[in-house]
Amino acid sequence: MIKEIINKEKQDKLTPDSVLMDLMAGNKRFTEHKMHERDYSSQIEKTSGGQWPQAVILGCIDSRVAVETVFDQGIGDIFVARVAGNFENTDILGSMEYSCKVAGSKLVMVLGHEGCGAVKAACDNVELGNITHLLSNIKPAVEATETDGERSSKNNSFVAGVVENNVKLTMNRIREKSPILKEMEENGEIKIVGGVYSISTGKVTLL
């Protein structure tokens, strides 16, 4: 089955819930090896005059988390922002505002992942060049995560907890730092959601 390109008319009819359902259905196809066939040459041609993506996804730079692939999306389907540790900053917030307010996307997703190296480094208080500043954005999630065991990357359950809290705190900060996105969510124009990708199974679990 070849999936059709999203155009302005189709994007206008989308809802935040329908977009989320489409992404999760795509992830199910990915895990079941039933992904859509795609004519990339046709997609390039049909999107050369404009773009109408249905969602913007903030993910990690991890090479194992190929966002378009794990949601079975093609050219022109989604915006993707990536930074180690999938946290927001001013530039990413501006990119999300463009995606939703200007380009019409209906969903913002923050996507963390299992065994995140940036999260592990934050747990271990790594200090190295510009990485030190980068990890400071993840430290609030480390501090917010409780455990009876060791507070380091050696404790897998602690790392998993930090990954989830990092996604949740990032979602909260998006709402706090972007009045535009907060208002759009309150008006039902978009949804802001979070998920965690399993590098061992390929499955995305919503939080």
Side-chain angles (χ1 to χ4, degrees), residues 51-63:
Q51 60 170 342
W52 300 272
Q54 61 180 341
V56 53
I57 300 176
L58 170 57
C60 182
I61 64 166
D62 194 294
S63 62

Side-chain angles (χ1 to χ4, degrees), residues 18 20 26 48-49 61 69 84 96 113 136 160 171:
S18 71
L20 182 58
S48 62
I61 64 166
T69 303
M96 288 178 168
H113 71 92
S136 68
M171 292 165 58

Side-chain angles (χ1 to χ4, degrees), residues 78-118:
I78 56 174
F79 287 109
V80 180
R82 298 180 71 164
V83 62
N86 46 265
F87 60 86
E88 89 302 331
N89 60 27
T90 302
D91 298 320
I92 287 175
L93 287 170
S95 298
M96 288 178 168
E97 290 172 353
Y98 172 81
S99 301
C100 298
K101 192 67 174 180
V102 179
S105 293
K106 310 297 183 183
L107 187 79
V108 174
M109 178 182 284
V110 180
L111 184 65
H113 71 92
E114 180 183 66
C116 180

Side-chain angles (χ1 to χ4, degrees), residues 179-190:
I180 288 176
L181 295 176
K182 181 181 180 183
E183 181 180 26
M184 291 185 76
E185 185 177 39
E186 289 174 347
N187 292 339
E189 300 170 71
I190 65 168

Side-chain angles (χ1 to χ4, degrees), residues 13-197:
K13 293 178 181 178
L14 295 173
T15 65
D17 286 333
S18 71
V19 171
L20 182 58
M21 285 178 60
D22 182 71
L23 292 179
M24 298 309 293
N27 181 244
K28 188 172 188 290
R29 291 193 301 272
F30 172 70
T31 60
E32 295 178 352
H33 312 291
K34 297 177 181 177
M35 295 170 73
H36 285 312
E37 295 179 19
R38 287 192 163 80
D39 181 346
Y40 287 108
S41 295
S42 174
Q43 289 186 350
I44 290 170
E45 179 183 351
K46 290 180 178 178
T47 56
S48 62
Q51 60 170 342
W52 300 272
Q54 61 180 341
V56 53
I57 300 176
L58 170 57
C60 182
I61 64 166
D62 194 294
S63 62
R64 299 164 295 180
V65 190
V67 179
E68 287 91 344
T69 303
V70 304
F71 286 110
D72 192 20
Q73 302 294 310
I75 293 171
D77 287 339
I78 56 174
F79 287 109
V80 180
R82 298 180 71 164
V83 62
N86 46 265
F87 60 86
E88 89 302 331
N89 60 27
T90 302
D91 298 320
I92 287 175
L93 287 170
S95 298
M96 288 178 168
E97 290 172 353
Y98 172 81
S99 301
C100 298
K101 192 67 174 180
V102 179
S105 293
K106 310 297 183 183
L107 187 79
V108 174
M109 178 182 284
V110 180
L111 184 65
H113 71 92
E114 180 183 66
C116 180
V119 166
K120 289 181 177 180
C123 291
D124 292 339
N125 295 305
V126 169
E127 294 187 2
L128 178 65
N130 290 301
I131 296 174
T132 305
H133 173 73
L134 181 146
L135 297 179
S136 68
N137 294 279
I138 307 172
K139 288 295 182 68
V142 177
E143 295 165 1
T145 304
E146 298 180 357
T147 180
D148 293 329
E150 187 174 346
R151 298 182 67 83
S152 77
S153 63
K154 295 177 182 178
N155 184 343
N156 291 334
S157 63
F158 178 61
V159 171
V162 177
V163 166
E164 288 196 13
N165 281 328
N166 188 44
V167 170
K168 293 173 182 177
L169 290 175
T170 299
M171 292 165 58
N172 290 340
R173 290 193 299 266
I174 289 171
R175 295 181 178 107
E176 291 169 3
K177 296 180 179 181
S178 174
I180 288 176
L181 295 176
K182 181 181 180 183
E183 181 180 26
M184 291 185 76
E185 185 177 39
E186 289 174 347
N187 292 339
E189 300 170 71
I190 65 168
K191 271 191 174 181
I192 300 172
V193 300
V196 175
Y197 174 77

